[in-house]
Amino acid sequence: RCSEHSLEVGSCISLSQQVCSPELLSLSLTRRGLPKEKMSENGLMSRAKVLTIDTMNPTVKKVEYAVRGPIVQRAVELERELSEGMKKPFVEVIRANIGDAHAMGQQPITFFRQVLALCSYPELLNDSTFPEDAKSRAHRILQSCGGNSMGSYSASQGIDSVRQDVARYIERRDGGVSCDPDDIYLTTGASDGIVTMLKLLMCGEGAARTGVMISIPQYPLYSAALAELGAVQINYYLNEENCWSLDITELQRALDEARLHCNPRALCIINPGNPTGQVQSRECIEDVIRFAAKERLFLMADEVYQDNVYADGCQFHSFKKVLFEMGPEYSNTVELASFHSTSKCYMGECGFRGGYMEIINMDDDVKAQLTKLVSVRLCPPVPGQALMDLVVNPPQPGEPSYDNFIKERTATLSVLAEKAKLTEQVLNTVQGISCNPVQGAMYSFPRITIPKKAIEEDKGQQPDMFYCMKMLEETGICLVPGSGFGQKEGTYHFRMTILPPTDKLQILLNKVKEFHQKFTQQYS
């Protein structure tokens, strides 16, 4: 209350200077923990912001997401400057920073877009230009939607028929290993499922705070989510000298050190790897499962690139399949969540935000809490759920769209394989750049040698950030510095997607080659 006039603070504020002195009003607000008012130049009172950089959630300030960080922000500025007629040493910005397939020119799968068009505008079901299998698929999806419309909410866990189709897909993929649709949760891309599982794992304070093991280099979603949730990030390093392989002795080292200051509870694996492009062998996956079982860790398997395997001798093995083939000692005990998405592979449908996660051996009470948690956001986008259904249940042999679907799918993956090989070959011709084989996924993560003089002149930036920013300003090529993903101290990298069309990718690689040679000469 305002002691001078016996008014509530709210009334005193509304009367402003008519009844209260600024000093008294400021004191009253301060005592109540409210923001102080300030005297403006025109003599009127202006209230300070409720939400400031000092009063906002401190964990959010710790969040960093390199693939859309300062480099990309500068790329956007350069694009605007070019559109305004400003002269640059290049005519366009080539964004090779993110795995956005369609933005890079990859064409959507015809059948998927036909069915989604029919679902979005059912009047097209009467159009004779659409194949009958696309119409029947659209009709089935619409029947599963409230009011036969994709504009309606679905169940929080996802549309029942789609979860059933996902379960059947997993059974086919894994050679008959059983899958319960009730263990499937449809998600807003794989990211949504990953963050949801991390939320469930968070607990404890101080030395009991949850720790989560993530690979270094890592996809920045993990470090960003852990920072936001206030968890402890436990780094384990992939072996660059052995094509970014995963070493169990390194896992043990990281775990033992982490147990001195936190409670490690989960182990995250990205296979095929992002940003490193490696494909884990079956033997490696078995070792990881044994390690998780021995150390009582919850396994999280990020498998969104499972169709993107290019190198000879490499094959995708799902963690679930390997887990169950290892027998009941592991399949009945190891807790596992695996994730897939419509955004990568041959689909590249990033904008629809479709995905799923499957949970294995989760405690029933925790599963009930998971279902409650996903219900808070009502449901994943229904068009994304419909697309996920088409990915796991594409045209079958004998259906009108089958031949064209196989042709488009095969062509997309074949071109990606060619571009993966091209990227490795060209980068390895550059003195000071070494690139491991791009076995899978959509990226290369080459190591770069940065001269000592450049490191000393980096103006407060990480050396590879300085390198990538200078490349952007001089060539228009937008890459992401390795420091945004994590790397061993004293090493420097950048991540580059292999998604641009082959001719543009060749131009990009030549520009990288020319820039690196010029950069090295400049700072030698």
Side-chain angles (χ1 to χ4, degrees):
R1 301 181 69 84
C2 176
S3 59
E4 184 176 345
H5 297 286
S6 300
L7 295 171
E8 292 294 335
V9 168
S11 301
C12 189
I13 292 171
S14 66
L15 292 172
S16 188
Q17 293 177 330
Q18 299 177 38
V19 294
C20 293
S21 68
E23 294 80 10
L24 182 58
L25 177 58
S26 179
L27 178 62
S28 178
L29 292 170
T30 301
R31 285 176 175 172
R32 290 173 176 265
L34 297 172
K36 281 188 178 183
E37 291 186 340
K38 300 177 181 178
M39 184 72 76
S40 63
E41 291 182 1
N42 60 10
L44 298 176
M45 300 302 295
S46 62
R47 178 174 295 192
K49 299 290 186 184
V50 173
L51 184 61
T52 70
I53 196 68
D54 295 321
T55 62
M56 68 176 287
N57 183 343
T59 62
V60 173
K61 290 187 283 187
K62 298 177 182 177
V63 172
E64 295 183 1
Y65 190 62
V67 295
R68 296 202 177 191
I71 290 278
V72 182
Q73 294 166 17
R74 179 56 184 150
V76 172
E77 292 175 357
L78 288 171
E79 287 174 331
R80 186 184 68 249
E81 292 170 4
L82 284 170
S83 70
E84 294 171 350
M86 293 183 65
K87 298 297 183 182
K88 301 289 179 185
F90 45 87
V91 296
E92 67 172 332
V93 173
I94 302 177
R95 295 204 196 186
N97 62 295
I98 196 167
D100 193 351
H102 292 183
M104 292 284 104
Q106 181 175 308
Q107 294 302 301
I109 298 297
T110 301
F111 180 77
F112 293 171
R113 289 301 184 88
Q114 287 176 330
V115 176
L116 290 171
L118 292 163
C119 289
S120 298
Y121 192 59
E123 283 80 355
L124 292 174
L125 288 166
N126 298 318
D127 190 328
S128 61
T129 60
F130 286 84
E132 288 304 315
D133 54 345
K135 290 182 179 180
S136 63
R137 199 65 56 82
H139 183 69
R140 178 173 179 268
I141 291 171
L142 288 172
Q143 281 187 319
S144 301
C145 297
N148 294 328
S149 171
M150 282 205 304
S152 59
Y153 289 125
S154 76
S156 296
Q157 198 169 336
I159 297 171
D160 287 344
S161 64
V162 178
R163 291 191 292 118
Q164 291 167 9
D165 285 346
V166 170
R168 302 294 84 78
Y169 160 80
I170 292 173
E171 288 181 352
R172 292 193 304 273
R173 181 197 69 184
D174 293 345
V177 177
S178 177
C179 179
D180 186 348
D182 194 47
D183 291 336
I184 303 298
Y185 288 75
L186 301 182
T187 57
T188 307
S191 302
D192 174 41
I194 291 166
V195 173
T196 298
M197 284 307 310
L198 290 174
K199 287 179 180 178
L200 287 180
L201 285 158
M202 295 305 111
C203 72
E205 297 179 357
R209 194 161 48 129
T210 291
V212 178
M213 304 183 70
I214 65 172
S215 61
I216 300 295
Q218 53 100 24
Y219 177 50
L221 164 69
Y222 292 90
S223 56
L226 294 175
E228 182 181 356
L229 295 170
V232 177
Q233 176 179 316
I234 305 170
N235 296 336
Y236 66 89
Y237 290 88
L238 300 177
N239 186 346
E240 183 173 11
E241 285 66 35
N242 190 22
C243 204
W244 299 112
S245 62
L246 194 160
D247 191 334
I248 298 300
T249 59
E250 169 61 12
L251 285 181
Q252 193 68 60
R253 177 207 61 78
L255 183 71
D256 291 344
E257 291 182 7
R259 280 186 169 146
L260 299 176
H261 58 87
C262 71
N263 178 23
R265 305 187 68 207
L267 169 59
C268 299
I269 307 288
I270 308 175
N271 179 47
N274 176 12
T276 45
Q278 86 285 1
V279 178
Q280 302 291 357
S281 68
R282 181 190 172 88
E283 291 73 22
C284 176
I285 294 173
E286 290 179 355
D287 288 342
V288 169
I289 290 172
R290 292 189 190 97
F291 177 81
K294 176 173 71 77
E295 302 294 348
R296 300 192 71 247
L297 296 171
F298 191 106
L299 266 178
M300 295 176 60
D302 182 339
E303 299 175 333
V304 303
Y305 296 98
Q306 57 189 259
D307 289 322
N308 297 110
V309 177
Y310 316 123
D312 292 339
C314 290
Q315 180 181 351
F316 170 74
H317 301 276
S318 78
F319 265 78
K320 182 188 177 182
K321 179 181 180 182
V322 176
L323 176 67
F324 275 78
E325 289 179 349
M326 290 174 68
E329 177 186 357
Y330 299 99
S331 61
N332 291 342
T333 58
V334 173
E335 296 157 82
L336 169 68
S338 58
F339 309 90
H340 194 18
S341 167
T342 63
S343 300
K344 308 302 177 184
C345 300
Y346 63 93
M347 303 85 70
E349 296 280 12
C350 303
F352 279 97
R353 310 308 300 132
Y356 74 75
M357 67 175 172
E358 181 187 15
I359 55 171
I360 303 295
N361 292 324
M362 178 174 280
D363 178 89
D364 288 340
D365 291 335
V366 175
K367 186 176 179 182
Q369 294 297 314
L370 169 60
T371 303
K372 178 187 73 175
L373 184 59
V374 300
S375 71
V376 172
R377 47 88 158 124
L378 297 177
C379 70
V382 172
Q385 296 185 53
L387 180 60
M388 190 79 256
D389 188 66
L390 301 174
V391 171
V392 299
N393 187 21
Q396 301 301 306
E399 292 185 327
S401 301
Y402 177 76
D403 289 344
N404 190 58
F405 167 76
I406 293 297
K407 178 182 177 181
E408 291 179 341
R409 180 184 186 278
T410 302
T412 298
L413 292 174
S414 295
V415 169
L416 285 171
E418 292 169 4
K419 291 190 287 190
K421 189 67 175 176
L422 173 66
T423 300
E424 173 198 348
Q425 289 175 339
V426 173
L427 290 178
N428 280 326
T429 66
V430 185
Q431 185 174 0
I433 297 181
S434 61
C435 182
N436 273 314
V438 183
Q439 296 176 330
M442 295 177 171
Y443 317 97
S444 62
F445 196 70
R447 182 188 292 193
I448 53 176
T449 300
I450 298 181
K452 183 178 179 181
K453 183 179 177 182
I455 295 173
E456 293 170 349
E457 294 185 16
D458 64 12
K459 301 176 182 178
Q461 296 175 322
Q462 291 285 346
D464 48 10
M465 171 65 85
F466 176 67
Y467 176 95
C468 288
M469 190 66 81
K470 196 167 182 62
M471 183 187 296
L472 175 62
E473 297 287 352
E474 295 185 10
T475 69
I477 295 173
C478 180
L479 306 177
V480 189
S483 51
F485 301 88
Q487 54 197 351
K488 282 190 174 181
E489 187 175 353
T491 68
Y492 306 107
H493 303 78
F494 61 75
R495 189 188 80 161
M496 185 186 81
T497 180
I498 63 170
L499 286 172
T502 303
D503 57 345
K504 186 170 284 190
L505 179 64
Q506 183 71 67
I507 294 171
L508 186 158
L509 291 167
N510 289 337
K511 283 190 172 185
V512 170
K513 181 176 181 178
E514 292 170 5
F515 169 81
H516 186 83
Q517 292 169 340
K518 178 183 175 183
F519 182 87
T520 300
Q521 291 172 0
Q522 180 180 356
Y523 289 100
S524 293

